[in-house]
Amino acid sequence: MAASAAASSTPSMRRYVERAAAAAESLVSRRAELVAPVIEACRGARGHAAACAPSRLVIIASGSSFNAAQMALPFMRERLGASCPVEVTTPFSYVHFSDAPEPSALALVVTQSGRSTNAIEAIDKLREQCVRAVCVTGDASSPAAAHADVAVDYGVGEELVGYVTKGVTTLVTFLCLLAMGLSGSDEGLAELERALAAAWKATNLAPGFVERHFKQLTSMQVAYICSAGAGMGVSLEGALKIGETVHIPCMVSELEEFIHGPNLQLTPAYTVFMVDPGGSASKRAWQVFEACRAVTDGAYLLTSDESRKDDPCAFVAPRVDPALVSLAYLPFFQMVSAMVSEALGSERQHPLVGRFKEIASAKVRDEQ
């Protein structure tokens, strides 16, 4: 009864989850327009139609933007190859621990809201280093965009909920399109389109899965998300979303590392999501999943292997290019977060969190 009531309501976060794949698909037809400012910044001059990959691409991002970059990273590295290594770091690490990139490199500071104080600090650091500061944002009129030399709107459109979902899916897509633009080739476009179609299907399948496991998922106390390779990006974002909406500890572990210590804390009260990265790693992922379900009924497998479709604890997403598995699984974690937090009313923060934000703010305040 409770599950039906939860499903019948459509919270705003869930609406954005439902719209995310379509919003990302709409970027594909606009790809030349969207990535052109970055390519122009890379070349250092306007009016050049041909792509020009930098010697190195450094993506500076935090929170969900960092996770989106991690999700896109395997695909970007495939497209750009060894001639243009791609790195992802956080603004804090860049400001305090990184040297200026070489003149032939390209640094992108990514912030959906454009209001993150650490992103603004990273932009200012780049300018101090006499490096062209390119800000990729969802709001070209934001404070971060104003600090940058070049501001690029990546096409997310409006997303008014603080727990971003549509912005993540569209950012992953934009970064993949950017890699193709910098490479000067549309190779990989068909694989990206298939991954977005898989995300559509996963978005439609996820609510039913949550309904079937409603009692267990709304009773989560501590959770782990385990994966490897290209599945680590979505694991990071899944943990962030569950942590910030359901308000429980949710940790990420590489699946083999999980059984070298973290597994010793397991009890029947734990929840474990095993994200199958595919390929030769699948066998081990399934083995660790089965070991977890021997301890807890809250063990779930995300996989694209149709042989697991009759397992009630397996969420089977369409098979996609191995570098894009995170896109196929992303709606699952977004929907779990949206539906469970709505059912529990857990989005409301403890009143003392307000004091925390007064002491250590992450966003530019309105009065500033």
mmCIF file of all heavy atoms in Angstrom, residues 91-132:
data_model
loop_
_atom_site.group_PDB
_atom_site.id
_atom_site.type_symbol
_atom_site.label_atom_id
_atom_site.label_comp_id
_atom_site.label_asym_id
_atom_site.label_seq_id
_atom_site.Cartn_x
_atom_site.Cartn_y
_atom_site.Cartn_z
ATOM 1 N N PRO A 91 38.359 20.847 -7.974
ATOM 2 C CA PRO A 91 38.864 22.218 -7.879
ATOM 3 C C PRO A 91 39.819 22.415 -6.701
ATOM 4 O O PRO A 91 40.851 23.086 -6.838
ATOM 5 C CB PRO A 91 37.588 23.046 -7.703
ATOM 6 C CG PRO A 91 36.528 22.245 -8.371
ATOM 7 C CD PRO A 91 36.881 20.821 -8.071
ATOM 8 N N PHE A 92 39.496 21.836 -5.559
ATOM 9 C CA PHE A 92 40.356 22.012 -4.382
ATOM 10 C C PHE A 92 41.744 21.424 -4.640
ATOM 11 O O PHE A 92 42.763 22.052 -4.332
ATOM 12 C CB PHE A 92 39.712 21.346 -3.163
ATOM 13 C CG PHE A 92 40.389 21.679 -1.866
ATOM 14 C CD1 PHE A 92 40.051 22.816 -1.148
ATOM 15 C CD2 PHE A 92 41.389 20.853 -1.344
ATOM 16 C CE1 PHE A 92 40.679 23.129 0.050
ATOM 17 C CE2 PHE A 92 42.016 21.158 -0.145
ATOM 18 C CZ PHE A 92 41.663 22.308 0.556
ATOM 19 N N SER A 93 41.773 20.222 -5.216
ATOM 20 C CA SER A 93 43.073 19.603 -5.517
ATOM 21 C C SER A 93 43.840 20.418 -6.538
ATOM 22 O O SER A 93 45.059 20.578 -6.427
ATOM 23 C CB SER A 93 42.865 18.175 -6.031
ATOM 24 O OG SER A 93 42.412 17.330 -4.996
ATOM 25 N N TYR A 94 43.144 20.937 -7.530
ATOM 26 C CA TYR A 94 43.838 21.731 -8.538
ATOM 27 C C TYR A 94 44.430 22.995 -7.921
ATOM 28 O O TYR A 94 45.601 23.318 -8.148
ATOM 29 C CB TYR A 94 42.909 22.121 -9.695
ATOM 30 C CG TYR A 94 43.658 22.919 -10.739
ATOM 31 C CD1 TYR A 94 44.473 22.270 -11.655
ATOM 32 C CD2 TYR A 94 43.632 24.304 -10.743
ATOM 33 C CE1 TYR A 94 45.237 22.992 -12.566
ATOM 34 C CE2 TYR A 94 44.388 25.035 -11.647
ATOM 35 C CZ TYR A 94 45.187 24.371 -12.558
ATOM 36 O OH TYR A 94 45.951 25.087 -13.431
ATOM 37 N N VAL A 95 43.626 23.706 -7.135
ATOM 38 C CA VAL A 95 44.079 24.981 -6.570
ATOM 39 C C VAL A 95 45.270 24.790 -5.645
ATOM 40 O O VAL A 95 46.224 25.569 -5.659
ATOM 41 C CB VAL A 95 42.916 25.676 -5.832
ATOM 42 C CG1 VAL A 95 43.424 26.845 -4.997
ATOM 43 C CG2 VAL A 95 41.865 26.152 -6.833
ATOM 44 N N HIS A 96 45.251 23.737 -4.851
ATOM 45 C CA HIS A 96 46.257 23.589 -3.793
ATOM 46 C C HIS A 96 47.408 22.646 -4.130
ATOM 47 O O HIS A 96 48.467 22.722 -3.489
ATOM 48 C CB HIS A 96 45.581 23.128 -2.499
ATOM 49 C CG HIS A 96 44.605 24.122 -1.954
ATOM 50 N ND1 HIS A 96 44.999 25.261 -1.284
ATOM 51 C CD2 HIS A 96 43.250 24.166 -2.011
ATOM 52 C CE1 HIS A 96 43.931 25.960 -0.926
ATOM 53 N NE2 HIS A 96 42.861 25.327 -1.356
ATOM 54 N N PHE A 97 47.229 21.778 -5.110
ATOM 55 C CA PHE A 97 48.249 20.748 -5.306
ATOM 56 C C PHE A 97 48.703 20.560 -6.751
ATOM 57 O O PHE A 97 49.547 19.693 -7.010
ATOM 58 C CB PHE A 97 47.737 19.396 -4.786
ATOM 59 C CG PHE A 97 47.290 19.431 -3.352
ATOM 60 C CD1 PHE A 97 45.946 19.292 -3.022
ATOM 61 C CD2 PHE A 97 48.194 19.639 -2.319
ATOM 62 C CE1 PHE A 97 45.509 19.338 -1.705
ATOM 63 C CE2 PHE A 97 47.776 19.684 -0.996
ATOM 64 C CZ PHE A 97 46.432 19.537 -0.685
ATOM 65 N N SER A 98 48.181 21.313 -7.691
ATOM 66 C CA SER A 98 48.519 21.078 -9.095
ATOM 67 C C SER A 98 49.306 22.235 -9.690
ATOM 68 O O SER A 98 49.082 23.404 -9.340
ATOM 69 C CB SER A 98 47.247 20.853 -9.923
ATOM 70 O OG SER A 98 46.567 19.694 -9.506
ATOM 71 N N ASP A 99 50.202 21.899 -10.611
ATOM 72 C CA ASP A 99 50.921 22.911 -11.366
ATOM 73 C C ASP A 99 50.081 23.351 -12.564
ATOM 74 O O ASP A 99 49.147 22.659 -12.976
ATOM 75 C CB ASP A 99 52.256 22.349 -11.866
ATOM 76 C CG ASP A 99 53.189 21.999 -10.717
ATOM 77 O OD1 ASP A 99 53.152 22.718 -9.698
ATOM 78 O OD2 ASP A 99 53.927 21.002 -10.840
ATOM 79 N N ALA A 100 50.431 24.473 -13.137
ATOM 80 C CA ALA A 100 49.718 24.966 -14.311
ATOM 81 C C ALA A 100 49.909 24.000 -15.478
ATOM 82 O O ALA A 100 51.000 23.474 -15.687
ATOM 83 C CB ALA A 100 50.235 26.346 -14.699
ATOM 84 N N PRO A 101 48.842 23.731 -16.233
ATOM 85 C CA PRO A 101 49.002 22.886 -17.415
ATOM 86 C C PRO A 101 49.854 23.591 -18.468
ATOM 87 O O PRO A 101 49.937 24.826 -18.503
ATOM 88 C CB PRO A 101 47.560 22.693 -17.906
ATOM 89 C CG PRO A 101 46.797 23.841 -17.342
ATOM 90 C CD PRO A 101 47.457 24.184 -16.045
ATOM 91 N N GLU A 102 50.474 22.808 -19.316
ATOM 92 C CA GLU A 102 51.313 23.361 -20.380
ATOM 93 C C GLU A 102 50.440 24.168 -21.352
ATOM 94 O O GLU A 102 49.234 23.944 -21.449
ATOM 95 C CB GLU A 102 52.050 22.244 -21.113
ATOM 96 C CG GLU A 102 51.168 21.221 -21.806
ATOM 97 C CD GLU A 102 50.676 20.090 -20.915
ATOM 98 O OE1 GLU A 102 50.724 20.250 -19.668
ATOM 99 O OE2 GLU A 102 50.256 19.073 -21.461
ATOM 100 N N PRO A 103 51.030 25.107 -22.065
ATOM 101 C CA PRO A 103 50.244 25.970 -22.962
ATOM 102 C C PRO A 103 49.420 25.213 -24.000
ATOM 103 O O PRO A 103 48.359 25.687 -24.429
ATOM 104 C CB PRO A 103 51.307 26.837 -23.636
ATOM 105 C CG PRO A 103 52.435 26.864 -22.660
ATOM 106 C CD PRO A 103 52.437 25.510 -22.014
ATOM 107 N N SER A 104 49.891 24.030 -24.389
ATOM 108 C CA SER A 104 49.176 23.263 -25.408
ATOM 109 C C SER A 104 48.044 22.417 -24.832
ATOM 110 O O SER A 104 47.311 21.758 -25.573
ATOM 111 C CB SER A 104 50.151 22.349 -26.156
ATOM 112 O OG SER A 104 50.815 21.486 -25.241
ATOM 113 N N ALA A 105 47.892 22.440 -23.502
ATOM 114 C CA ALA A 105 46.824 21.685 -22.849
ATOM 115 C C ALA A 105 45.568 22.549 -22.751
ATOM 116 O O ALA A 105 45.605 23.768 -22.957
ATOM 117 C CB ALA A 105 47.262 21.233 -21.464
ATOM 118 N N LEU A 106 44.455 21.909 -22.442
ATOM 119 C CA LEU A 106 43.191 22.614 -22.264
ATOM 120 C C LEU A 106 42.616 22.244 -20.909
ATOM 121 O O LEU A 106 42.502 21.055 -20.574
ATOM 122 C CB LEU A 106 42.207 22.249 -23.370
ATOM 123 C CG LEU A 106 40.797 22.859 -23.260
ATOM 124 C CD1 LEU A 106 40.862 24.384 -23.399
ATOM 125 C CD2 LEU A 106 39.869 22.271 -24.311
ATOM 126 N N ALA A 107 42.275 23.255 -20.103
ATOM 127 C CA ALA A 107 41.665 23.028 -18.796
ATOM 128 C C ALA A 107 40.218 23.501 -18.833
ATOM 129 O O ALA A 107 39.935 24.630 -19.223
ATOM 130 C CB ALA A 107 42.438 23.762 -17.705
ATOM 131 N N LEU A 108 39.303 22.630 -18.425
ATOM 132 C CA LEU A 108 37.881 22.961 -18.354
ATOM 133 C C LEU A 108 37.434 22.914 -16.902
ATOM 134 O O LEU A 108 37.635 21.902 -16.222
ATOM 135 C CB LEU A 108 37.043 21.960 -19.150
ATOM 136 C CG LEU A 108 37.351 21.771 -20.641
ATOM 137 C CD1 LEU A 108 36.422 20.707 -21.211
ATOM 138 C CD2 LEU A 108 37.204 23.074 -21.392
ATOM 139 N N VAL A 109 36.838 23.984 -16.416
ATOM 140 C CA VAL A 109 36.236 23.986 -15.084
ATOM 141 C C VAL A 109 34.733 23.797 -15.278
ATOM 142 O O VAL A 109 34.086 24.591 -15.962
ATOM 143 C CB VAL A 109 36.515 25.300 -14.331
ATOM 144 C CG1 VAL A 109 35.843 25.279 -12.956
ATOM 145 C CG2 VAL A 109 38.020 25.515 -14.189
ATOM 146 N N VAL A 110 34.206 22.734 -14.692
ATOM 147 C CA VAL A 110 32.807 22.372 -14.919
ATOM 148 C C VAL A 110 31.993 22.621 -13.658
ATOM 149 O O VAL A 110 32.350 22.152 -12.576
ATOM 150 C CB VAL A 110 32.673 20.899 -15.338
ATOM 151 C CG1 VAL A 110 31.226 20.573 -15.696
ATOM 152 C CG2 VAL A 110 33.590 20.580 -16.513
ATOM 153 N N THR A 111 30.905 23.362 -13.795
ATOM 154 C CA THR A 111 29.985 23.611 -12.684
ATOM 155 C C THR A 111 28.596 23.854 -13.247
ATOM 156 O O THR A 111 28.388 24.830 -13.970
ATOM 157 C CB THR A 111 30.443 24.804 -11.822
ATOM 158 O OG1 THR A 111 29.359 25.216 -10.965
ATOM 159 C CG2 THR A 111 30.889 25.996 -12.643
ATOM 160 N N GLN A 112 27.662 22.963 -12.940
ATOM 161 C CA GLN A 112 26.315 23.114 -13.498
ATOM 162 C C GLN A 112 25.660 24.416 -13.053
ATOM 163 O O GLN A 112 25.150 25.174 -13.868
ATOM 164 C CB GLN A 112 25.422 21.935 -13.116
ATOM 165 C CG GLN A 112 24.000 22.068 -13.672
ATOM 166 C CD GLN A 112 23.123 20.882 -13.384
ATOM 167 O OE1 GLN A 112 23.609 19.773 -13.132
ATOM 168 N NE2 GLN A 112 21.811 21.060 -13.415
ATOM 169 N N SER A 113 25.693 24.672 -11.750
ATOM 170 C CA SER A 113 25.029 25.866 -11.224
ATOM 171 C C SER A 113 25.805 27.139 -11.540
ATOM 172 O O SER A 113 25.230 28.226 -11.640
ATOM 173 C CB SER A 113 24.844 25.751 -9.711
ATOM 174 O OG SER A 113 26.104 25.826 -9.049
ATOM 175 N N GLY A 114 27.134 27.007 -11.661
ATOM 176 C CA GLY A 114 27.971 28.179 -11.833
ATOM 177 C C GLY A 114 28.137 28.980 -10.555
ATOM 178 O O GLY A 114 28.665 30.093 -10.571
ATOM 179 N N ARG A 115 27.711 28.397 -9.436
ATOM 180 C CA ARG A 115 27.754 29.107 -8.158
ATOM 181 C C ARG A 115 28.669 28.430 -7.136
ATOM 182 O O ARG A 115 28.743 28.862 -5.984
ATOM 183 C CB ARG A 115 26.337 29.222 -7.578
ATOM 184 C CG ARG A 115 25.371 29.969 -8.493
ATOM 185 C CD ARG A 115 23.964 30.007 -7.901
ATOM 186 N NE ARG A 115 23.939 30.744 -6.638
ATOM 187 C CZ ARG A 115 23.862 32.072 -6.558
ATOM 188 N NH1 ARG A 115 23.812 32.802 -7.652
ATOM 189 N NH2 ARG A 115 23.826 32.662 -5.383
ATOM 190 N N SER A 116 29.347 27.381 -7.531
ATOM 191 C CA SER A 116 30.218 26.672 -6.598
ATOM 192 C C SER A 116 31.479 27.493 -6.332
ATOM 193 O O SER A 116 32.194 27.875 -7.264
ATOM 194 C CB SER A 116 30.603 25.301 -7.164
ATOM 195 O OG SER A 116 29.466 24.485 -7.308
ATOM 196 N N THR A 117 31.738 27.747 -5.068
ATOM 197 C CA THR A 117 32.877 28.595 -4.714
ATOM 198 C C THR A 117 34.201 27.952 -5.117
ATOM 199 O O THR A 117 35.144 28.657 -5.513
ATOM 200 C CB THR A 117 32.885 28.884 -3.207
ATOM 201 O OG1 THR A 117 32.848 27.643 -2.479
ATOM 202 C CG2 THR A 117 31.670 29.723 -2.807
ATOM 203 N N ASN A 118 34.281 26.621 -5.042
ATOM 204 C CA ASN A 118 35.552 25.980 -5.400
ATOM 205 C C ASN A 118 35.820 26.064 -6.905
ATOM 206 O O ASN A 118 36.966 26.184 -7.336
ATOM 207 C CB ASN A 118 35.608 24.532 -4.903
ATOM 208 C CG ASN A 118 34.476 23.666 -5.426
ATOM 209 O OD1 ASN A 118 33.632 24.108 -6.200
ATOM 210 N ND2 ASN A 118 34.440 22.416 -4.974
ATOM 211 N N ALA A 119 34.763 26.027 -7.717
ATOM 212 C CA ALA A 119 34.942 26.177 -9.162
ATOM 213 C C ALA A 119 35.448 27.583 -9.495
ATOM 214 O O ALA A 119 36.332 27.754 -10.344
ATOM 215 C CB ALA A 119 33.627 25.898 -9.886
ATOM 216 N N ILE A 120 34.897 28.585 -8.817
ATOM 217 C CA ILE A 120 35.345 29.959 -9.037
ATOM 218 C C ILE A 120 36.809 30.118 -8.630
ATOM 219 O O ILE A 120 37.599 30.769 -9.322
ATOM 220 C CB ILE A 120 34.441 30.941 -8.264
ATOM 221 C CG1 ILE A 120 33.023 30.913 -8.855
ATOM 222 C CG2 ILE A 120 34.999 32.358 -8.298
ATOM 223 C CD1 ILE A 120 31.991 31.681 -8.051
ATOM 224 N N GLU A 121 37.202 29.493 -7.524
ATOM 225 C CA GLU A 121 38.604 29.537 -7.100
ATOM 226 C C GLU A 121 39.509 28.896 -8.143
ATOM 227 O O GLU A 121 40.615 29.395 -8.416
ATOM 228 C CB GLU A 121 38.759 28.829 -5.754
ATOM 229 C CG GLU A 121 38.154 29.595 -4.583
ATOM 230 C CD GLU A 121 38.145 28.773 -3.302
ATOM 231 O OE1 GLU A 121 38.601 27.603 -3.343
ATOM 232 O OE2 GLU A 121 37.688 29.290 -2.272
ATOM 233 N N ALA A 122 39.061 27.786 -8.727
ATOM 234 C CA ALA A 122 39.874 27.116 -9.751
ATOM 235 C C ALA A 122 40.011 27.994 -11.001
ATOM 236 O O ALA A 122 41.087 28.065 -11.604
ATOM 237 C CB ALA A 122 39.251 25.768 -10.111
ATOM 238 N N ILE A 123 38.927 28.656 -11.390
ATOM 239 C CA ILE A 123 38.986 29.567 -12.536
ATOM 240 C C ILE A 123 39.969 30.699 -12.261
ATOM 241 O O ILE A 123 40.815 31.041 -13.105
ATOM 242 C CB ILE A 123 37.582 30.125 -12.841
ATOM 243 C CG1 ILE A 123 36.685 29.002 -13.394
ATOM 244 C CG2 ILE A 123 37.653 31.290 -13.828
ATOM 245 C CD1 ILE A 123 35.221 29.375 -13.489
ATOM 246 N N ASP A 124 39.865 31.272 -11.068
ATOM 247 C CA ASP A 124 40.775 32.367 -10.710
ATOM 248 C C ASP A 124 42.231 31.892 -10.677
ATOM 249 O O ASP A 124 43.143 32.627 -11.065
ATOM 250 C CB ASP A 124 40.375 32.955 -9.358
ATOM 251 C CG ASP A 124 39.056 33.714 -9.413
ATOM 252 O OD1 ASP A 124 38.604 34.033 -10.534
ATOM 253 O OD2 ASP A 124 38.465 33.965 -8.335
ATOM 254 N N LYS A 125 42.446 30.659 -10.224
ATOM 255 C CA LYS A 125 43.800 30.101 -10.196
ATOM 256 C C LYS A 125 44.352 29.959 -11.613
ATOM 257 O O LYS A 125 45.519 30.295 -11.880
ATOM 258 C CB LYS A 125 43.781 28.733 -9.499
ATOM 259 C CG LYS A 125 45.139 28.056 -9.399
ATOM 260 C CD LYS A 125 46.028 28.741 -8.374
ATOM 261 C CE LYS A 125 47.290 27.944 -8.120
ATOM 262 N NZ LYS A 125 48.147 28.569 -7.095
ATOM 263 N N LEU A 126 43.529 29.469 -12.525
ATOM 264 C CA LEU A 126 43.957 29.333 -13.914
ATOM 265 C C LEU A 126 44.363 30.690 -14.487
ATOM 266 O O LEU A 126 45.388 30.812 -15.164
ATOM 267 C CB LEU A 126 42.841 28.722 -14.759
ATOM 268 C CG LEU A 126 42.592 27.223 -14.581
ATOM 269 C CD1 LEU A 126 41.270 26.829 -15.232
ATOM 270 C CD2 LEU A 126 43.738 26.405 -15.179
ATOM 271 N N ARG A 127 43.588 31.709 -14.197
ATOM 272 C CA ARG A 127 43.896 33.037 -14.734
ATOM 273 C C ARG A 127 45.174 33.602 -14.107
ATOM 274 O O ARG A 127 45.962 34.268 -14.784
ATOM 275 C CB ARG A 127 42.703 33.965 -14.511
ATOM 276 C CG ARG A 127 41.444 33.491 -15.236
ATOM 277 C CD ARG A 127 40.347 34.512 -15.243
ATOM 278 N NE ARG A 127 40.693 35.645 -16.098
ATOM 279 C CZ ARG A 127 39.899 36.681 -16.320
ATOM 280 N NH1 ARG A 127 38.695 36.722 -15.744
ATOM 281 N NH2 ARG A 127 40.267 37.673 -17.102
ATOM 282 N N GLU A 128 45.382 33.295 -12.817
ATOM 283 C CA GLU A 128 46.645 33.707 -12.176
ATOM 284 C C GLU A 128 47.836 33.043 -12.863
ATOM 285 O O GLU A 128 48.923 33.625 -12.946
ATOM 286 C CB GLU A 128 46.632 33.310 -10.695
ATOM 287 C CG GLU A 128 45.723 34.151 -9.815
ATOM 288 C CD GLU A 128 45.658 33.591 -8.401
ATOM 289 O OE1 GLU A 128 46.490 32.713 -8.064
ATOM 290 O OE2 GLU A 128 44.771 34.016 -7.641
ATOM 291 N N GLN A 129 47.627 31.823 -13.330
ATOM 292 C CA GLN A 129 48.690 31.075 -13.998
ATOM 293 C C GLN A 129 48.807 31.437 -15.479
ATOM 294 O O GLN A 129 49.586 30.816 -16.200
ATOM 295 C CB GLN A 129 48.427 29.571 -13.855
ATOM 296 C CG GLN A 129 48.477 29.069 -12.422
ATOM 297 C CD GLN A 129 47.955 27.639 -12.299
ATOM 298 O OE1 GLN A 129 47.069 27.212 -13.038
ATOM 299 N NE2 GLN A 129 48.515 26.903 -11.341
ATOM 300 N N CYS A 130 48.016 32.422 -15.901
ATOM 301 C CA CYS A 130 47.999 32.859 -17.308
ATOM 302 C C CYS A 130 47.559 31.730 -18.235
ATOM 303 O O CYS A 130 48.051 31.588 -19.372
ATOM 304 C CB CYS A 130 49.366 33.391 -17.726
ATOM 305 S SG CYS A 130 49.864 34.866 -16.792
ATOM 306 N N VAL A 131 46.628 30.912 -17.745
ATOM 307 C CA VAL A 131 46.033 29.835 -18.526
ATOM 308 C C VAL A 131 44.609 30.246 -18.873
ATOM 309 O O VAL A 131 43.881 30.741 -18.006
ATOM 310 C CB VAL A 131 46.022 28.506 -17.731
ATOM 311 C CG1 VAL A 131 45.295 27.417 -18.512
ATOM 312 C CG2 VAL A 131 47.437 28.080 -17.389
ATOM 313 N N ARG A 132 44.226 30.069 -20.119
ATOM 314 C CA ARG A 132 42.866 30.429 -20.508
ATOM 315 C C ARG A 132 41.865 29.627 -19.685
ATOM 316 O O ARG A 132 41.907 28.393 -19.668
ATOM 317 C CB ARG A 132 42.640 30.178 -22.005
ATOM 318 C CG ARG A 132 41.222 30.488 -22.453
ATOM 319 C CD ARG A 132 41.087 30.464 -23.960
ATOM 320 N NE ARG A 132 41.802 31.578 -24.561
ATOM 321 C CZ ARG A 132 41.696 31.913 -25.849
ATOM 322 N NH1 ARG A 132 40.933 31.215 -26.646
ATOM 323 N NH2 ARG A 132 42.368 32.943 -26.320
#
